Amino acid sequence: MFSDELAKISWSETTEAIMNKTEADVLRALGKAHCSVDDFMALISPAAAPYLEQMARLSQKYTLERFGKTIQMFIPLYTTNSCTNSCVYCGFHISNPMKRTVLTMQEIENEYIAIKKLGPFENILLVTGENPAVAGVDYIAKSIDIARKYFSNIKIEVMPLSAEDYRLLTTHGMNGVICFQETYNRDRYNVYHPRGMKSKFEWRVNGFDRMGQAEVHSIGMGVLVGLEDWRTDMTMMAIHLRYLQKHYWKTKYSVNFPRMRASENGGFQPNVIMSDRELAQLTFAFRIFDHDVDISYSTRETPAIRDHMCALGVTTMSAESHTEPGGYYSYPQTLEQFHVSDNRKTADVAAAIQRAGRIPVWKDWDDVMN
């Protein structure tokens, strides 16, 4: 399990190694066709900041070679905000005095119908709070069963499950799983996740192994930028990605690095602020590090940076997202998990992608090749 590998890696020593990278280390990494984790550390280090334009050109080159000019579109659906966790940064925090919503199957189907009216979405991400008593595996399975009537690609972002449960959901038509580790800093993890199932670090970080054991087709990884030093966290995720690719090589992988915003439950402020230039640097570094990994930007990011980065390394984007349960039809005024920054209509996002010289793809990559 990856937790065993992670236990061998020092957070502080990794941070020091990144900050000690030199211009020579950066140039060496930029000259390689295939980069190691050590090269990745150089590319996200402060020493690489003067080489952003060169990194952008390489990122664009590798993206075009692997993905062409396509940007795959998806939309999330939050089916419940009921949660038993105490994540201090999240609007769904168990102690947050708010109305809890658990959509019925009929309400979920109404949401699917409403989403199809926004645009030709075929890729949907089903998101729940972590409360298995009201939204457990059976609830998720039924949601997927109904989704198959409307969407060709169905992913979930729910509480970490057992390998057996992931395997069961694939039989219902689940194509992928996305899970945010939030931070790989084991010593600080429980500062942000003091109680609930999410407080169990090993169970969460080893969830990716269980996905691989269940032969989940697509696994999405993410770190929440704002909790701990982003460079060290991203290095840990890069190490984790390489570990998963070695052990579960039939699976496709994606990465996501959303920047934290203040939540509704008392205005938690990020401990670390990542600038737009640093987000671009990280995106380029990940593409140079791994030519095949899918890089996703959600509507957490502003229209300006999404429009710019879709031509330089990003391969998947959401549009017209609502982060409250039933936000498309049933309960549009329910409290959001977080505020989005890109409030444009689906058609406007698609038009911006086209102006950037890219093609929004709603279903499969090969559709655009026909």
Side-chain angles (χ1 to χ4, degrees), residues 65 108 113 200:
E65 288 176 352
I108 288 173
I113 294 169
K200 301 181 185 302

Side-chain angles (χ1 to χ4, degrees), residues 35 75 96 102 190 214 220 227 239 254 275 285 288 361:
C35 289
I75 193 166
N96 193 12
V102 181
N190 289 114
L227 298 181
I239 294 170
S254 65
S275 68
I288 296 167
V361 176

Side-chain angles (χ1 to χ4, degrees), residues 67-342:
F67 296 91
K69 294 185 176 182
T70 59
I71 299 292
Q72 192 167 35
M73 307 299 295
F74 80 97
I75 193 166
L77 171 62
Y78 286 68
T79 62
T80 172
N81 59 10
S82 181
C83 192
T84 60
N85 292 318
S86 299
C87 309
V88 298
Y89 50 81
C90 181
F92 292 175
H93 188 295
I94 189 173
S95 299
N96 193 12
M98 59 180 285
K99 180 182 178 181
R100 302 293 170 164
T101 301
V102 181
L103 298 184
T104 65
M105 291 303 128
Q106 183 58 61
E107 288 171 333
I108 288 173
E109 185 158 14
N110 291 341
E111 296 298 316
Y112 294 155
I113 294 169
I115 286 171
K116 296 297 283 189
K117 293 179 180 178
L118 300 180
F121 289 102
E122 289 289 340
N123 302 299
I124 191 167
L125 174 66
L126 301 181
V127 188
T128 70
E130 297 193 12
N131 188 350
V134 298
V137 175
D138 289 345
Y139 177 90
I140 298 165
K142 291 175 183 177
S143 303
I144 294 171
D145 290 340
I146 300 171
R148 291 177 63 186
K149 296 164 52 178
Y150 301 95
F151 304 96
S152 61
N153 191 62
I154 305 162
K155 296 182 180 180
I156 63 171
E157 185 181 335
V158 301
M159 64 275 187
L161 304 173
S162 67
E164 292 74 22
D165 285 337
Y166 284 129
R167 195 172 290 112
L168 172 65
L169 291 177
T170 63
T171 67
H172 284 263
M174 179 193 75
N175 303 104
V177 181
I178 293 175
C179 183
F180 287 82
Q181 182 57 33
E182 316 297 14
T183 179
Y184 285 87
N185 190 336
R186 179 66 182 86
D187 292 339
R188 294 272 298 165
Y189 182 83
N190 289 114
V191 172
Y192 309 109
H193 312 99
R195 60 192 175 110
M197 278 300 294
K198 199 167 181 178
S199 67
K200 301 181 185 302
F201 181 87
E202 284 76 14
W203 175 253
R204 191 168 190 88
V205 80
N206 289 334
F208 299 90
D209 278 280
R210 298 192 298 275
M211 296 172 205
Q213 292 164 1
E215 299 184 340
V216 171
H217 176 66
S218 173
I219 295 176
M221 314 172 68
V223 164
L224 187 55
V225 177
L227 298 181
E228 294 294 314
D229 178 78
W230 66 264
R231 292 182 172 91
T232 311
D233 251 334
M234 294 303 167
T235 298
M236 300 300 178
M237 188 165 75
I239 294 170
H240 197 178
L241 175 62
R242 282 288 183 261
Y243 165 91
L244 293 171
Q245 290 171 329
K246 177 181 177 181
H247 288 82
Y248 313 107
W249 53 270
K250 294 182 180 180
T251 297
K252 293 171 56 179
Y253 295 93
S254 65
V255 293
N256 194 322
F257 11 83
R259 293 184 289 181
M260 181 182 293
R261 302 181 60 173
S263 71
E264 297 277 358
N265 65 330
F268 179 86
Q269 297 300 319
N271 296 317
V272 178
I273 301 296
M274 171 189 273
S275 68
D276 287 353
R277 284 185 63 84
E278 288 172 333
L279 177 62
Q281 180 182 352
L282 172 61
T283 304
F284 303 151
F286 245 109
R287 173 60 66 225
I288 296 167
F289 171 64
D290 194 301
H291 305 176
D292 297 325
V293 73
D294 182 20
I295 299 177
S296 177
Y297 270 24
S298 74
T299 52
R300 277 181 183 262
E301 299 301 337
T302 64
I305 194 162
R306 277 162 47 95
D307 292 351
H308 185 62
M309 295 300 294
C310 74
L312 296 175
V314 173
T315 48
T316 295
M317 291 174 61
S318 56
E320 208 164 340
S321 303
H322 289 264
T323 65
E324 68 272 27
Y328 301 100
Y329 179 84
S330 305
Y331 305 104
Q333 301 305 315
T334 305
L335 182 67
E336 299 173 308
Q337 185 184 35
F338 60 86
H339 293 308
V340 301
S341 295
D342 189 343

